[in-house]
Amino acid sequence: MKLHSLITLSLAVSVLVTPALAQKSGKDVYGKTCAVCHATGIAGAPKYGNAGDWSPRIAGGTGRLYGSALKGTPKGMPAKGGNPSYSDAEVKAAVDYMLAAVKTAAKPTATPPQNPVAKEEPKPEPKVATSTPKVDKAEPTPTAAAAMAEAVPVGDVNAFNRLLKPLGKRNPPPPEDGIHDPANDGTHALLPPLTAYAGLPKSLAGNRVNWVEAIGTKKINPRWDRTDPKAEPVVMDLNIVREVKGSMPDVVYPHKQHTEWLDCSNCHPAIFVPQKGANAISMAAILLGEKCGVCHGKVAFPVSECRLCHSKKKDLARPAQAAASVAK
Amino acid sequence: MKFSIGMLCAIAVVFTAVPAAAEYADVVLNRRAEKEGMRPVVFPHWFHRIRFQCRVCHAELGFKMRVGSNDVTMNDIADGKFCGACHNGDIAWSPDRCDLCHSGKPGLPTGIVGGHETSGPGRW
């Protein structure tokens, strides 16, 4: 969940900032793109704020780091973080932003340098939110505080949950959600999500609706055909087990839950060759919006829900196998 | 220091903006709308997926699963393509209800919002 809230937070911030700035700030670019790998150190990426990860790299000079960020490296750093639409200056600003974090982390700040979430949070000092100029404080503080001031009422620093979004702030109605224009009459005619979700099974992420259960228990009955409410999907019950190296449980990819919503042609052959094991899938690719990440993390449940995909305990005695049972 | 100037800009912007608590998977469509003097369009996935399976839009109607890759114009919609395949006064209300679709805050870029976690252009 920590990963989830960090990324949500950084994205929330960057989504806000983007429209007004012609050139995105380093923090924006970091939050929108680099953080997916560098916040937690996915695939061996040097972690944000972790001086140990960065110092040997910094030794080679900032120029070299710019080069790696712009052109990519063979060891997994994609050119421009995988987003060629960034200008060189934006990518360099993101590198500067990441380097600044290691420099401030070297100074004694009250937060553990390992934890970027904590770093970004406002210190429990209500004054910060009013941006009182402070000498020698970590620079990220005021911005983060500004963002947080909206999420957490100022003065509520000792509230039980400081960062977990309170129930009332989730799934806001359109006029308050930050993207609909409240000055537009139509906005007020739109349905608030919570009204629609009232009778639906809950989940902990995304829309906070368990869509699989909702359709399985017929709480909702989305049409398979645009015009014919009676047409039924061809549901295929075929699980594909993908063995995962390391300690994470294996991934079970279920055709059933997917073919309840999707057409074979949505995945085959553009995203996946229909052959077990024929596709190289990795978390890095998923986080970049490829493979499973084409849908998961955008429309289907987000990547923070590790257990939904990594659902098969490692069975060391037998090799993993596809439990193929084709029903109707 | 370059860094702090960037931070200051960010602060200024964040202070003037509202919380981006948009519903997960809402899509802002603004390739043309604002240039032509209309508010950006907000497409709510959650609302439509209660009524339609993904395949209806992404296979039957041919919406490509990548934000910004479908070049939608009002002409297409009036011709019964894209949104107009349903928003035709038959399956759903007709395209004359401009303000229901063109409901986004001015200035929003095309993109998926609501705390998505995969970034980069949706490539494969």
Side-chain angles (χ1 to χ4, degrees), chain A residues 4 11 16 19 143 171 179-181 184 186 197 207 223-224 226 260-261 263 270 286-288 290 297 300, chain B residues 7 18 22-25 39 46 49 51 53-56 58 85 99 103 105 107 116-119 123-124:
Chain A
H4 175 44
L11 284 170
L16 283 176
T143 318
N171 315 97
I179 56 164
H180 287 88
D181 189 348
N184 169 42
Y197 298 167
N207 299 111
R223 289 186 187 184
W224 182 76
R226 181 173 57 101
E260 275 170 352
W261 292 98
D263 203 72
I286 293 174
L287 286 164
L288 280 173
E290 294 168 33
Chain B
M7 298 309 301
V18 270
E23 186 61 22
Y24 186 70
R39 289 186 172 86
W46 65 271
R49 74 180 290 183
R51 290 159 179 80
Q53 298 187 1
C54 326
R55 76 162 288 283
V56 174
H58 290 295
D99 58 342
S103 62
K105 285 211 166 135
H116 59 291
E117 288 165 17
T118 50
S119 74
R123 302 168 303 172
W124 55 82

Side-chain angles (χ1 to χ4, degrees), chain A residues 199-272:
Chain A
L200 303 183
K202 307 259 178 296
S203 81
L204 287 174
N207 299 111
R208 299 187 170 266
V209 168
N210 185 334
W211 293 109
V212 172
E213 199 184 323
I215 201 173
T217 53
K218 300 258 189 265
K219 288 269 182 357
I220 59 170
N221 194 9
R223 289 186 187 184
W224 182 76
D225 187 88
R226 181 173 57 101
T227 46
D228 179 2
K230 297 223 175 56
E232 291 279 335
V234 193
V235 175
M236 184 171 92
D237 192 356
L238 168 67
N239 286 343
I240 309 265
V241 178
R242 306 260 328 188
E243 275 180 75
V244 177
K245 285 191 211 86
S247 60
M248 280 301 280
D250 290 340
V251 172
V252 179
Y253 165 80
H255 269 95
K256 181 164 175 287
Q257 285 91 315
H258 289 92
T259 47
E260 275 170 352
W261 292 98
L262 293 150
D263 203 72
C264 315
S265 69
N266 285 130
C267 290
H268 298 309
I271 311 179
F272 302 107

Side-chain angles (χ1 to χ4, degrees), chain A:
Chain A
M1 284 318 294
K2 203 174 269 172
L3 174 66
H4 175 44
S5 36
L6 163 70
I7 295 178
T8 313
L9 171 64
S10 12
L11 284 170
V13 174
S14 61
V15 165
L16 283 176
V17 177
T18 324
L21 289 178
Q23 183 188 318
K24 293 191 191 66
S25 74
K27 183 184 167 68
D28 278 342
V29 174
Y30 171 77
K32 202 164 161 61
T33 302
C34 323
V36 295
C37 298
H38 285 278
T40 48
I42 278 174
K47 265 197 230 166
Y48 180 82
N50 185 326
D53 283 5
W54 282 98
S55 45
R57 296 175 187 270
I58 295 172
T62 317
R64 193 189 64 81
L65 295 180
Y66 287 154
S68 306
L70 291 170
K71 303 218 176 64
T73 73
K75 283 203 211 128
M77 168 64 205
K80 295 192 173 179
N83 189 338
S85 71
Y86 288 132
S87 69
D88 288 7
E90 284 168 341
V91 175
K92 285 183 187 168
V95 175
D96 291 343
Y97 176 75
M98 287 156 82
L99 294 180
V102 222
K103 282 172 199 149
T104 49
K107 289 188 225 154
T109 58
T111 40
Q114 292 273 4
N115 189 340
V117 178
K119 258 193 102 41
E120 297 261 295
E121 292 160 9
K123 300 278 119 46
E125 293 155 4
K127 260 182 261 148
V128 184
T130 63
S131 297
T132 320
K134 276 221 180 136
V135 202
D136 203 29
K137 262 283 156 199
E139 271 103 322
T141 313
T143 318
M148 294 315 304
E150 294 153 0
V152 189
V154 182
D156 227 3
V157 291
N158 291 336
F160 181 80
N161 286 124
R162 231 161 46 81
L163 297 177
L164 186 66
K165 235 198 249 165
L167 220 59
K169 294 256 165 88
R170 293 173 191 154
N171 315 97
E176 292 161 28
D177 69 0
I179 56 164
H180 287 88
D181 189 348
N184 169 42
D185 292 341
T187 301
H188 300 274
L190 299 175
L191 185 68
L194 280 183
T195 313
Y197 298 167
L200 303 183
K202 307 259 178 296
S203 81
L204 287 174
N207 299 111
R208 299 187 170 266
V209 168
N210 185 334
W211 293 109
V212 172
E213 199 184 323
I215 201 173
T217 53
K218 300 258 189 265
K219 288 269 182 357
I220 59 170
N221 194 9
R223 289 186 187 184
W224 182 76
D225 187 88
R226 181 173 57 101
T227 46
D228 179 2
K230 297 223 175 56
E232 291 279 335
V234 193
V235 175
M236 184 171 92
D237 192 356
L238 168 67
N239 286 343
I240 309 265
V241 178
R242 306 260 328 188
E243 275 180 75
V244 177
K245 285 191 211 86
S247 60
M248 280 301 280
D250 290 340
V251 172
V252 179
Y253 165 80
H255 269 95
K256 181 164 175 287
Q257 285 91 315
H258 289 92
T259 47
E260 275 170 352
W261 292 98
L262 293 150
D263 203 72
C264 315
S265 69
N266 285 130
C267 290
H268 298 309
I271 311 179
F272 302 107
V273 181
Q275 189 190 328
K276 180 177 153 49
N279 304 271
I281 312 176
S282 70
M283 279 321 286
I286 293 174
L287 286 164
L288 280 173
E290 294 168 33
K291 310 296 173 189
C292 318
V294 169
C295 300
H296 289 280
K298 289 180 177 158
V299 178
F301 67 79
V303 186
S304 56
E305 304 308 286
C306 317
R307 293 284 156 187
L308 288 180
C309 290
H310 290 272
S311 59
K312 188 171 180 283
K313 285 246 173 62
K314 287 247 166 23
D315 182 357
L316 296 173
R318 275 178 303 158
Q321 48 181 245
S325 60
V326 183
K328 55 167 153 159

